Amino acid sequence: MKRSVMRVIRQIPSYLRLLAGLIRDRRVSRFDRLLVIGTLAYIVSPLDFIPDVIPFLGEVDDVYLLMLALQRMVDRAGFAVLRDHWRGDPAALEELDLARVVSAAAFFLPLRLRRRLRRMAGR
């Protein structure tokens, strides 16, 4: 599980660029674009439920929320829309199993925090 989360943590800059592209894409619903803006704000904010200064665990809440937002995008806008905005390694996006990463990140989060982040992501 930790390896799955670590792979995503290394790709966070690519995912942030992906989310920024989705904000401008008219194929994505307005509500989902607002969720993306909220996710980006949470990730770049110094105020997190788990501070980023804590190695590994500090990024887990970011990864969890990021993957929930992406999972929602794939469900609603389609994988092709995500591919149009992906600037990272193409294999990383093709191999990404969002549900597996969400569940791996969830393993490291307390239940109350998981529920709060899921509500934030509209899931």
Side-chain angles (χ1 to χ4, degrees), residues 1-2 5 56-57 60 64 100-111 114:
M1 284 188 245
K2 187 174 181 180
V5 174
F56 180 70
L57 288 178
V60 170
Y64 185 71
R100 181 179 49 82
V101 176
V102 166
S103 102
F107 176 80
F108 297 101
L109 295 174
L111 182 59
R114 273 190 308 225

Side-chain angles (χ1 to χ4, degrees), residues 26 28-35:
R26 297 291 173 206
V28 176
S29 76
R30 180 174 286 160
F31 181 75
D32 287 341
R33 284 186 283 170
L34 289 173
L35 283 175

Side-chain angles (χ1 to χ4, degrees), residues 16-28 33 36-37 40 85 87:
L16 290 174
R17 284 190 295 277
L18 170 67
L19 290 175
L22 291 170
I23 290 170
R24 294 184 303 273
D25 195 315
R26 297 291 173 206
R27 295 173 291 179
V28 176
R33 284 186 283 170
V36 168
I37 291 168
L40 286 171
H85 295 285
R87 301 292 176 254

Side-chain angles (χ1 to χ4, degrees), residues 38-123:
T39 299
L40 286 171
Y42 181 82
I43 290 171
V44 299
S45 168
L47 302 175
D48 281 357
F49 290 113
I50 301 174
D52 290 339
V53 297
I54 300 171
F56 180 70
L57 288 178
E59 285 89 21
V60 170
D61 61 332
D62 294 344
V63 167
Y64 185 71
L65 189 58
L66 176 65
M67 292 300 110
L68 284 175
L70 285 175
Q71 192 173 41
R72 182 180 171 101
M73 290 290 164
V74 169
D75 292 347
R76 294 179 184 260
F79 204 75
V81 174
L82 268 66
R83 250 193 332 265
D84 289 348
H85 295 285
W86 182 250
R87 301 292 176 254
D89 176 14
L93 188 62
E94 294 298 329
E95 295 170 1
L96 182 63
D97 180 353
L98 296 170
R100 181 179 49 82
V101 176
V102 166
S103 102
F107 176 80
F108 297 101
L109 295 174
L111 182 59
R112 284 179 63 194
L113 180 55
R114 273 190 308 225
R115 286 182 183 147
R116 185 174 293 161
L117 291 171
R118 280 179 97 54
R119 278 195 306 270
M120 286 173 63
R123 304 274 307 162

